[in-house]
PDB file of all heavy atoms in Angstrom:
ATOM      1  N   GLY A   1     106.402 -62.341 -75.553  1.00 56.00           N
ATOM      2  CA  GLY A   1     107.597 -61.509 -75.552  1.00 56.00           C
ATOM      3  C   GLY A   1     108.268 -61.468 -74.196  1.00 56.00           C
ATOM      4  O   GLY A   1     108.423 -62.477 -73.505  1.00 56.00           O
ATOM      5  N   LEU A   2     108.697 -60.256 -73.791  1.00 53.00           N
ATOM      6  CA  LEU A   2     109.381 -60.081 -72.511  1.00 53.00           C
ATOM      7  C   LEU A   2     108.481 -60.509 -71.362  1.00 53.00           C
ATOM      8  O   LEU A   2     108.948 -61.158 -70.420  1.00 53.00           O
ATOM      9  CB  LEU A   2     109.789 -58.612 -72.348  1.00 53.00           C
ATOM     10  CG  LEU A   2     110.427 -58.216 -71.004  1.00 53.00           C
ATOM     11  CD1 LEU A   2     111.698 -59.011 -70.766  1.00 53.00           C
ATOM     12  CD2 LEU A   2     110.694 -56.732 -70.950  1.00 53.00           C
ATOM     13  N   ALA A   3     107.196 -60.173 -71.433  1.00 54.00           N
ATOM     14  CA  ALA A   3     106.258 -60.546 -70.359  1.00 54.00           C
ATOM     15  C   ALA A   3     106.168 -62.063 -70.223  1.00 54.00           C
ATOM     16  O   ALA A   3     105.987 -62.590 -69.118  1.00 54.00           O
ATOM     17  CB  ALA A   3     104.878 -59.957 -70.630  1.00 54.00           C
ATOM     18  N   GLU A   4     106.312 -62.787 -71.322  1.00 64.00           N
ATOM     19  CA  GLU A   4     106.268 -64.244 -71.272  1.00 64.00           C
ATOM     20  C   GLU A   4     107.467 -64.800 -70.512  1.00 64.00           C
ATOM     21  O   GLU A   4     107.346 -65.742 -69.710  1.00 64.00           O
ATOM     22  CB  GLU A   4     106.258 -64.811 -72.695  1.00 64.00           C
ATOM     23  CG  GLU A   4     106.169 -66.321 -72.759  1.00 64.00           C
ATOM     24  CD  GLU A   4     106.152 -66.844 -74.194  1.00 64.00           C
ATOM     25  OE1 GLU A   4     106.409 -66.044 -75.105  1.00 64.00           O
ATOM     26  OE2 GLU A   4     105.895 -68.052 -74.389  1.00 64.00           O
ATOM     27  N   ARG A   5     108.650 -64.207 -70.711  1.00 63.00           N
ATOM     28  CA  ARG A   5     109.832 -64.669 -69.991  1.00 63.00           C
ATOM     29  C   ARG A   5     109.750 -64.308 -68.513  1.00 63.00           C
ATOM     30  O   ARG A   5     110.224 -65.055 -67.657  1.00 63.00           O
ATOM     31  CB  ARG A   5     111.087 -64.062 -70.625  1.00 63.00           C
ATOM     32  CG  ARG A   5     111.368 -64.607 -72.024  1.00 63.00           C
ATOM     33  CD  ARG A   5     112.743 -64.254 -72.503  1.00 63.00           C
ATOM     34  NE  ARG A   5     112.867 -62.832 -72.801  1.00 63.00           N
ATOM     35  CZ  ARG A   5     112.491 -62.278 -73.955  1.00 63.00           C
ATOM     36  NH1 ARG A   5     111.935 -63.034 -74.904  1.00 63.00           N
ATOM     37  NH2 ARG A   5     112.645 -60.992 -74.176  1.00 63.00           N
ATOM     38  N   ILE A   6     109.130 -63.177 -68.211  1.00 59.00           N
ATOM     39  CA  ILE A   6     108.901 -62.806 -66.808  1.00 59.00           C
ATOM     40  C   ILE A   6     107.969 -63.819 -66.146  1.00 59.00           C
ATOM     41  O   ILE A   6     108.204 -64.265 -65.018  1.00 59.00           O
ATOM     42  CB  ILE A   6     108.332 -61.377 -66.712  1.00 59.00           C
ATOM     43  CG1 ILE A   6     109.354 -60.361 -67.227  1.00 59.00           C
ATOM     44  CG2 ILE A   6     107.929 -61.045 -65.286  1.00 59.00           C
ATOM     45  CD1 ILE A   6     108.808 -58.958 -67.352  1.00 59.00           C
ATOM     46  N   ALA A   7     106.896 -64.188 -66.849  1.00 63.00           N
ATOM     47  CA  ALA A   7     105.962 -65.179 -66.321  1.00 63.00           C
ATOM     48  C   ALA A   7     106.647 -66.531 -66.121  1.00 63.00           C
ATOM     49  O   ALA A   7     106.363 -67.249 -65.147  1.00 63.00           O
ATOM     50  CB  ALA A   7     104.766 -65.327 -67.265  1.00 63.00           C
ATOM     51  N   ALA A   8     107.565 -66.876 -67.026  1.00 71.00           N
ATOM     52  CA  ALA A   8     108.291 -68.152 -66.880  1.00 71.00           C
ATOM     53  C   ALA A   8     109.128 -68.160 -65.607  1.00 71.00           C
ATOM     54  O   ALA A   8     109.239 -69.181 -64.910  1.00 71.00           O
ATOM     55  CB  ALA A   8     109.173 -68.382 -68.106  1.00 71.00           C
ATOM     56  N   GLN A   9     109.729 -67.008 -65.263  1.00 72.00           N
ATOM     57  CA  GLN A   9     110.504 -66.921 -64.018  1.00 72.00           C
ATOM     58  C   GLN A   9     109.595 -67.119 -62.809  1.00 72.00           C
ATOM     59  O   GLN A   9     109.984 -67.770 -61.826  1.00 72.00           O
ATOM     60  CB  GLN A   9     111.201 -65.566 -63.938  1.00 72.00           C
ATOM     61  CG  GLN A   9     112.335 -65.370 -64.925  1.00 72.00           C
ATOM     62  CD  GLN A   9     113.510 -66.297 -64.623  1.00 72.00           C
ATOM     63  OE1 GLN A   9     113.868 -66.507 -63.484  1.00 72.00           O
ATOM     64  NE2 GLN A   9     114.094 -66.852 -65.661  1.00 72.00           N
ATOM     65  N   ALA A  10     108.389 -66.591 -62.856  1.00 71.00           N
ATOM     66  CA  ALA A  10     107.443 -66.759 -61.753  1.00 71.00           C
ATOM     67  C   ALA A  10     107.055 -68.233 -61.606  1.00 71.00           C
ATOM     68  O   ALA A  10     106.945 -68.755 -60.488  1.00 71.00           O
ATOM     69  CB  ALA A  10     106.200 -65.900 -61.988  1.00 71.00           C
ATOM     70  N   GLU A  11     106.860 -68.917 -62.737  1.00 77.00           N
ATOM     71  CA  GLU A  11     106.490 -70.326 -62.695  1.00 77.00           C
ATOM     72  C   GLU A  11     107.623 -71.166 -62.128  1.00 77.00           C
ATOM     73  O   GLU A  11     107.403 -72.100 -61.359  1.00 77.00           O
ATOM     74  CB  GLU A  11     106.110 -70.813 -64.092  1.00 77.00           C
ATOM     75  CG  GLU A  11     105.443 -72.174 -64.087  1.00 77.00           C
ATOM     76  CD  GLU A  11     104.761 -72.474 -65.411  1.00 77.00           C
ATOM     77  OE1 GLU A  11     104.696 -71.574 -66.272  1.00 77.00           O
ATOM     78  OE2 GLU A  11     104.276 -73.599 -65.566  1.00 77.00           O
ATOM     79  N   VAL A  12     108.869 -70.828 -62.480  1.00 77.00           N
ATOM     80  CA  VAL A  12     110.022 -71.529 -61.919  1.00 77.00           C
ATOM     81  C   VAL A  12     110.071 -71.319 -60.399  1.00 77.00           C
ATOM     82  O   VAL A  12     110.363 -72.252 -59.636  1.00 77.00           O
ATOM     83  CB  VAL A  12     111.333 -71.024 -62.568  1.00 77.00           C
ATOM     84  CG1 VAL A  12     112.555 -71.552 -61.814  1.00 77.00           C
ATOM     85  CG2 VAL A  12     111.402 -71.464 -64.013  1.00 77.00           C
ATOM     86  N   ALA A  13     109.786 -70.105 -59.948  1.00 76.00           N
ATOM     87  CA  ALA A  13     109.799 -69.809 -58.512  1.00 76.00           C
ATOM     88  C   ALA A  13     108.765 -70.658 -57.776  1.00 76.00           C
ATOM     89  O   ALA A  13     109.040 -71.159 -56.678  1.00 76.00           O
ATOM     90  CB  ALA A  13     109.515 -68.317 -58.289  1.00 76.00           C
ATOM     91  N   VAL A  14     107.584 -70.835 -58.365  1.00 83.00           N
ATOM     92  CA  VAL A  14     106.542 -71.652 -57.732  1.00 83.00           C
ATOM     93  C   VAL A  14     107.001 -73.110 -57.621  1.00 83.00           C
ATOM     94  O   VAL A  14     106.844 -73.761 -56.582  1.00 83.00           O
ATOM     95  CB  VAL A  14     105.245 -71.560 -58.538  1.00 83.00           C
ATOM     96  CG1 VAL A  14     104.230 -72.606 -58.049  1.00 83.00           C
ATOM     97  CG2 VAL A  14     104.639 -70.174 -58.405  1.00 83.00           C
ATOM     98  N   ASN A  15     107.597 -73.626 -58.686  1.00 82.00           N
ATOM     99  CA  ASN A  15     108.033 -75.024 -58.674  1.00 82.00           C
ATOM    100  C   ASN A  15     109.135 -75.282 -57.634  1.00 82.00           C
ATOM    101  O   ASN A  15     109.243 -76.379 -57.105  1.00 82.00           O
ATOM    102  CB  ASN A  15     108.536 -75.427 -60.065  1.00 82.00           C
ATOM    103  CG  ASN A  15     107.412 -75.457 -61.089  1.00 82.00           C
ATOM    104  OD1 ASN A  15     106.260 -75.698 -60.736  1.00 82.00           O
ATOM    105  ND2 ASN A  15     107.745 -75.196 -62.346  1.00 82.00           N
ATOM    106  N   ALA A  16     109.961 -74.259 -57.382  1.00 78.00           N
ATOM    107  CA  ALA A  16     111.075 -74.418 -56.447  1.00 78.00           C
ATOM    108  C   ALA A  16     110.689 -74.084 -55.001  1.00 78.00           C
ATOM    109  O   ALA A  16     111.487 -74.329 -54.082  1.00 78.00           O
ATOM    110  CB  ALA A  16     112.243 -73.526 -56.867  1.00 78.00           C
ATOM    111  N   ALA A  17     109.493 -73.559 -54.782  1.00 84.00           N
ATOM    112  CA  ALA A  17     109.096 -73.075 -53.456  1.00 84.00           C
ATOM    113  C   ALA A  17     108.465 -74.200 -52.637  1.00 84.00           C
ATOM    114  O   ALA A  17     108.005 -75.213 -53.163  1.00 84.00           O
ATOM    115  CB  ALA A  17     108.134 -71.900 -53.602  1.00 84.00           C
ATOM    116  N   ASP A  18     108.414 -73.961 -51.320  1.00 89.00           N
ATOM    117  CA  ASP A  18     107.705 -74.877 -50.413  1.00 89.00           C
ATOM    118  C   ASP A  18     106.254 -74.446 -50.216  1.00 89.00           C
ATOM    119  O   ASP A  18     105.405 -75.267 -49.876  1.00 89.00           O
ATOM    120  CB  ASP A  18     108.412 -74.902 -49.046  1.00 89.00           C
ATOM    121  CG  ASP A  18     109.820 -75.444 -49.152  1.00 89.00           C
ATOM    122  OD1 ASP A  18     109.986 -76.618 -49.518  1.00 89.00           O
ATOM    123  OD2 ASP A  18     110.776 -74.696 -48.874  1.00 89.00           O
ATOM    124  N   ALA A  19     105.977 -73.148 -50.393  1.00 92.00           N
ATOM    125  CA  ALA A  19     104.621 -72.623 -50.304  1.00 92.00           C
ATOM    126  C   ALA A  19     104.532 -71.385 -51.171  1.00 92.00           C
ATOM    127  O   ALA A  19     105.549 -70.808 -51.558  1.00 92.00           O
ATOM    128  CB  ALA A  19     104.255 -72.297 -48.853  1.00 92.00           C
ATOM    129  N   VAL A  20     103.285 -70.987 -51.489  1.00 91.00           N
ATOM    130  CA  VAL A  20     103.050 -69.865 -52.394  1.00 91.00           C
ATOM    131  C   VAL A  20     102.175 -68.838 -51.722  1.00 91.00           C
ATOM    132  O   VAL A  20     101.147 -69.189 -51.094  1.00 91.00           O
ATOM    133  CB  VAL A  20     102.396 -70.347 -53.710  1.00 91.00           C
ATOM    134  CG1 VAL A  20     102.108 -69.161 -54.636  1.00 91.00           C
ATOM    135  CG2 VAL A  20     103.272 -71.361 -54.427  1.00 91.00           C
ATOM    136  N   LEU A  21     102.560 -67.569 -51.823  1.00 92.00           N
ATOM    137  CA  LEU A  21     101.709 -66.475 -51.389  1.00 92.00           C
ATOM    138  C   LEU A  21     101.147 -65.820 -52.634  1.00 92.00           C
ATOM    139  O   LEU A  21     101.859 -65.150 -53.387  1.00 92.00           O
ATOM    140  CB  LEU A  21     102.536 -65.459 -50.580  1.00 92.00           C
ATOM    141  CG  LEU A  21     101.770 -64.227 -50.049  1.00 92.00           C
ATOM    142  CD1 LEU A  21     100.665 -64.659 -49.095  1.00 92.00           C
ATOM    143  CD2 LEU A  21     102.709 -63.238 -49.366  1.00 92.00           C
ATOM    144  N   PHE A  22      99.851 -66.044 -52.882  1.00 91.00           N
ATOM    145  CA  PHE A  22      99.197 -65.523 -54.074  1.00 91.00           C
ATOM    146  C   PHE A  22      98.541 -64.182 -53.721  1.00 91.00           C
ATOM    147  O   PHE A  22      97.661 -64.111 -52.874  1.00 91.00           O
ATOM    148  CB  PHE A  22      98.153 -66.521 -54.575  1.00 91.00           C
ATOM    149  CG  PHE A  22      97.410 -66.084 -55.807  1.00 91.00           C
ATOM    150  CD1 PHE A  22      98.069 -65.455 -56.860  1.00 91.00           C
ATOM    151  CD2 PHE A  22      96.043 -66.287 -55.925  1.00 91.00           C
ATOM    152  CE1 PHE A  22      97.393 -65.047 -57.985  1.00 91.00           C
ATOM    153  CE2 PHE A  22      95.352 -65.886 -57.060  1.00 91.00           C
ATOM    154  CZ  PHE A  22      96.031 -65.267 -58.091  1.00 91.00           C
ATOM    155  N   VAL A  23      99.013 -63.113 -54.389  1.00 91.00           N
ATOM    156  CA  VAL A  23      98.574 -61.749 -54.067  1.00 91.00           C
ATOM    157  C   VAL A  23      97.551 -61.300 -55.093  1.00 91.00           C
ATOM    158  O   VAL A  23      97.786 -61.353 -56.318  1.00 91.00           O
ATOM    159  CB  VAL A  23      99.771 -60.787 -54.036  1.00 91.00           C
ATOM    160  CG1 VAL A  23      99.308 -59.398 -53.609  1.00 91.00           C
ATOM    161  CG2 VAL A  23     100.855 -61.302 -53.102  1.00 91.00           C
ATOM    162  N   VAL A  24      96.400 -60.816 -54.589  1.00 91.00           N
ATOM    163  CA  VAL A  24      95.326 -60.306 -55.443  1.00 91.00           C
ATOM    164  C   VAL A  24      94.976 -58.897 -54.962  1.00 91.00           C
ATOM    165  O   VAL A  24      95.002 -58.618 -53.755  1.00 91.00           O
ATOM    166  CB  VAL A  24      94.082 -61.220 -55.381  1.00 91.00           C
ATOM    167  CG1 VAL A  24      92.954 -60.662 -56.233  1.00 91.00           C
ATOM    168  CG2 VAL A  24      94.438 -62.624 -55.822  1.00 91.00           C
ATOM    169  N   ASP A  25      94.669 -58.013 -55.892  1.00 90.00           N
ATOM    170  CA  ASP A  25      94.240 -56.650 -55.563  1.00 90.00           C
ATOM    171  C   ASP A  25      92.774 -56.708 -55.142  1.00 90.00           C
ATOM    172  O   ASP A  25      91.872 -56.925 -55.965  1.00 90.00           O
ATOM    173  CB  ASP A  25      94.418 -55.745 -56.774  1.00 90.00           C
ATOM    174  CG  ASP A  25      94.166 -54.285 -56.448  1.00 90.00           C
ATOM    175  OD1 ASP A  25      93.479 -54.006 -55.452  1.00 90.00           O
ATOM    176  OD2 ASP A  25      94.648 -53.408 -57.202  1.00 90.00           O
ATOM    177  N   ALA A  26      92.531 -56.498 -53.848  1.00 89.00           N
ATOM    178  CA  ALA A  26      91.155 -56.609 -53.331  1.00 89.00           C
ATOM    179  C   ALA A  26      90.257 -55.519 -53.905  1.00 89.00           C
ATOM    180  O   ALA A  26      89.031 -55.721 -54.026  1.00 89.00           O
ATOM    181  CB  ALA A  26      91.175 -56.544 -51.813  1.00 89.00           C
ATOM    182  N   ASN A  27      90.816 -54.370 -54.269  1.00 87.00           N
ATOM    183  CA  ASN A  27      90.001 -53.281 -54.816  1.00 87.00           C
ATOM    184  C   ASN A  27      89.494 -53.596 -56.216  1.00 87.00           C
ATOM    185  O   ASN A  27      88.418 -53.165 -56.617  1.00 87.00           O
ATOM    186  CB  ASN A  27      90.795 -51.994 -54.827  1.00 87.00           C
ATOM    187  CG  ASN A  27      91.174 -51.523 -53.440  1.00 87.00           C
ATOM    188  OD1 ASN A  27      90.442 -51.747 -52.492  1.00 87.00           O
ATOM    189  ND2 ASN A  27      92.326 -50.894 -53.317  1.00 87.00           N
ATOM    190  N   VAL A  28      90.282 -54.348 -56.997  1.00 87.00           N
ATOM    191  CA  VAL A  28      89.898 -54.704 -58.365  1.00 87.00           C
ATOM    192  C   VAL A  28      89.030 -55.953 -58.379  1.00 87.00           C
ATOM    193  O   VAL A  28      88.104 -56.096 -59.184  1.00 87.00           O
ATOM    194  CB  VAL A  28      91.164 -54.910 -59.220  1.00 87.00           C
ATOM    195  CG1 VAL A  28      90.801 -55.404 -60.613  1.00 87.00           C
ATOM    196  CG2 VAL A  28      91.963 -53.629 -59.300  1.00 87.00           C
ATOM    197  N   GLY A  29      89.305 -56.882 -57.460  1.00 87.00           N
ATOM    198  CA  GLY A  29      88.556 -58.119 -57.435  1.00 87.00           C
ATOM    199  C   GLY A  29      89.183 -59.174 -58.339  1.00 87.00           C
ATOM    200  O   GLY A  29      90.320 -59.045 -58.799  1.00 87.00           O
ATOM    201  N   ILE A  30      88.438 -60.244 -58.597  1.00 88.00           N
ATOM    202  CA  ILE A  30      88.952 -61.373 -59.378  1.00 88.00           C
ATOM    203  C   ILE A  30      88.923 -61.039 -60.857  1.00 88.00           C
ATOM    204  O   ILE A  30      87.894 -60.617 -61.395  1.00 88.00           O
ATOM    205  CB  ILE A  30      88.107 -62.636 -59.104  1.00 88.00           C
ATOM    206  CG1 ILE A  30      88.146 -62.992 -57.610  1.00 88.00           C
ATOM    207  CG2 ILE A  30      88.611 -63.801 -59.948  1.00 88.00           C
ATOM    208  CD1 ILE A  30      87.202 -64.109 -57.223  1.00 88.00           C
ATOM    209  N   THR A  31      90.058 -61.214 -61.524  1.00 88.00           N
ATOM    210  CA  THR A  31      90.152 -60.977 -62.969  1.00 88.00           C
ATOM    211  C   THR A  31      90.360 -62.317 -63.681  1.00 88.00           C
ATOM    212  O   THR A  31      90.637 -63.344 -63.053  1.00 88.00           O
ATOM    213  CB  THR A  31      91.308 -60.040 -63.313  1.00 88.00           C
ATOM    214  OG1 THR A  31      92.534 -60.688 -62.985  1.00 88.00           O
ATOM    215  CG2 THR A  31      91.206 -58.746 -62.516  1.00 88.00           C
TER     216      THR A  31
END
């Protein structure tokens, strides 16, 4: 649904970028 289209925008941003800053919540850990 809407979340899928939001994720698609993020994927487009990665493809157009020169580098990626991947943000993870250190308090939650790896999901």
Side-chain angles (χ1 to χ4, degrees):
L2 175 61
E4 182 180 11
R5 291 193 289 277
I6 295 172
Q9 291 293 320
E11 192 165 353
V12 170
V14 169
N15 293 332
D18 297 297
V20 178
L21 180 62
F22 180 42
V23 184
V24 178
D25 187 339
N27 296 328
V28 175
I30 300 172
T31 66

